[in-house]
């Protein structure tokens, strides 16, 4: 079905991006995504109508792997997913990635299959576009967490009126390397949403500010936060240490180096856009000093 839909190539956009031709990359990705959203109804493989008017939390999982059963994060969160006010949206990011969805919660999942891998940020935006909940909860597909952790992450957002809440990330394996932004300590406090694959967002604000930049696969949370901070206070972005996900930042030093190089490219792109990460850092440092939470 969706395989017959021809898209302007996202690979062309990433080629421009990796070459530093950021304006051309933006033009190419815009053309690609115009076709995606024009054809969104054709990508729906399972549209579950259960509790269509009562959804508060939309859990969004994106994967380029084959099928929902390949997602480790689906194990252990079934009690949360089956709540009457929660929906699971699975976005298969690439041709065949959503075929044969099975495993935990597959019977209630809303499944969308994209004919091309459009990157994690753009695919998460697709999930947000079709979501029904007031809270968008993004989860990495290759991580593990629990129902209580998701309940705390979403609950903190809703109960405190936050714009975004990120959790704490612990290593998944003994050999796995961690990122310096994964664990910010034991206190609930303001912090930029730099763990996009374990974060909750206010749906209305996410939509108003255009969601994640589709060219970014790193720093997309910082970018969106910076765009929002002109109108919002840093106190509305929180770190919830009680909500924990297990995920390895990198498997070895070579993979860590590759990630660092990608983030350096993302930094150059943010500078091209006029995004000032230092401004974000200063805003959160001032709020934390004031003991606002």
């Amino acid at each position: 079905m969706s395989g017959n839909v021809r898209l302007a190539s996202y690979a062309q956009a990433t080629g421009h991006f990796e070459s530093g031709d950021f304006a051309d990359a933006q033009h190419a990705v815009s053309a690609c995504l115009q076709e995606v959203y024009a054809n969104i109804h054709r990508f729906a493989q399972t549209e579950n109508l259960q509790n269509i008017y009562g959804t508060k939390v939309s859990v969004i999982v994106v994967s380029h792997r084959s099928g929902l059963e390949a997602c480790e994060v689906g194990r252990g969160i079934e009690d949360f997913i089956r709540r009457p006010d929660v929906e699971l949206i699975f976005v298969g990011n690439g041709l065949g990635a959503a075929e044969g969805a099975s495993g935990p919660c597959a019977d209630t999942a809303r499944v969308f299959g994209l004919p091309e891998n459009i990157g994690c940020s753009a695919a998460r935006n697709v999930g947000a576009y079709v979501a029904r909940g007031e809270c968008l909860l993004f989860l990495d597909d290759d991580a593990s967490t629990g129902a209580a952790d998701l309940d705390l992450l979403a609950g903190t957002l809703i109960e405190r009126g936050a714009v975004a809440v990120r959790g704490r990330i612990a290593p998944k394996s003994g050999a796995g390397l961690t990122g310096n932004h994964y664990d910010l300590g034991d206190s609930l406090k303001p912090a930029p949403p730099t763990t996009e694959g374990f974060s909750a967002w206010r749906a209305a604000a996410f939509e108003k500010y255009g969601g994640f930049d589709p060219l970014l696969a790193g720093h997309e949370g910082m970018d969106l936060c910076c765009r929002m901070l002109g109108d919002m206070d840093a106190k509305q972005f929180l770190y919830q240490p009680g909500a924990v996900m297990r995920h390895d930042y990198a498997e070895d030093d070579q993979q860590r180096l590759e990630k660092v190089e990608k983030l350096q490219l993302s930094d150059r792109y943010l500078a091209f856009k006029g995004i000032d990460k230092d401004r974000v850092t200063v805003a959160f440092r001032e709020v934390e000093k004031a003991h606002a939470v």
Side-chain angles (χ1 to χ4, degrees):
M1 175 183 62
S2 58
N4 296 325
V5 179
R6 183 181 178 277
L7 294 181
S9 176
Y10 182 80
Q12 184 181 35
T14 57
H16 289 309
F17 184 81
E18 290 168 0
S19 299
D21 301 322
F22 298 136
D24 288 340
Q26 288 177 327
H27 178 76
V29 80
S30 176
C32 169
L33 295 179
Q34 282 179 8
E35 293 195 42
V36 169
Y37 287 105
N39 291 286
I40 200 75
H41 67 284
R42 298 179 65 178
F43 303 148
Q45 298 194 353
T46 304
E47 267 285 46
N48 196 297
L49 300 180
Q50 182 180 9
N51 304 317
I52 188 169
Y53 300 112
T55 302
K56 288 186 178 180
V57 180
S58 297
V59 177
I60 300 169
V61 177
V62 170
S63 182
H64 63 275
R65 297 169 175 82
S66 180
L68 188 58
E69 72 281 357
C71 295
E72 180 179 345
V73 76
R75 304 161 199 154
I77 63 172
E78 191 168 359
D79 287 348
F80 184 81
I81 296 299
R82 293 196 180 281
R83 279 178 22 181
D85 59 347
V86 175
E87 67 175 355
L88 171 63
I89 298 171
F90 177 78
V91 181
N93 198 16
L95 186 61
E99 299 293 341
S102 62
C105 314
D107 59 324
T108 60
R110 301 174 64 202
V111 179
F112 295 82
L114 302 178
E116 178 189 18
N117 188 323
I118 61 172
C120 60
S121 290
R124 284 172 177 156
N125 288 349
V126 168
Y129 180 79
V130 300
R132 304 175 185 135
E134 64 182 271
C135 168
L136 308 175
L137 209 167
F138 297 105
L139 299 181
D140 280 330
D141 67 322
D142 60 345
S144 62
T145 188
D149 299 283
L150 301 192
D151 186 52
L152 183 58
L153 198 64
T156 301
L157 180 95
I158 294 170
E159 293 163 14
R160 289 182 171 265
V163 174
V165 180
R166 55 148 296 183
R168 187 203 309 241
I169 300 185
K172 185 172 67 173
S173 64
L177 302 178
T178 188
N180 57 14
H181 61 298
Y182 270 19
D183 188 335
L184 303 183
D186 298 329
S187 301
L188 176 70
K189 60 184 178 182
T194 52
T195 56
E196 297 84 1
F198 191 43
S199 63
W201 294 78
R202 185 74 56 175
F206 190 88
E207 178 183 3
K208 177 181 178 180
Y209 289 86
F212 296 130
D213 188 306
L215 289 170
L216 287 171
H219 292 336
E220 60 268 29
M222 178 69 81
D223 167 73
L224 180 52
C225 178
C226 193
R227 286 186 273 128
M228 289 177 165
L229 278 177
D231 302 321
M232 300 176 185
D233 195 289
K235 290 185 291 185
Q236 294 175 278
F237 300 83
L238 299 175
Y239 163 71
Q240 172 52 270
V244 180
M245 169 179 273
R246 297 199 173 276
H247 184 267
D248 291 335
Y249 180 74
E251 294 179 359
D252 51 39
D253 288 331
Q254 178 61 33
Q255 193 177 77
R256 182 197 286 272
L257 179 60
E258 291 171 359
K259 280 202 167 186
V260 169
E261 290 174 348
K262 287 181 179 179
L263 290 175
Q264 289 172 344
L265 178 61
S266 294
D267 279 332
R268 297 206 302 273
Y269 177 58
L270 293 185
F272 165 80
K273 291 176 62 177
I275 297 292
D276 187 356
K277 289 199 308 178
D278 291 338
R279 171 173 159 258
V280 177
T281 302
V282 169
F284 282 97
R285 186 179 299 134
E286 289 177 351
V287 169
E288 191 171 353
K289 283 181 180 178
H291 304 287
V293 174

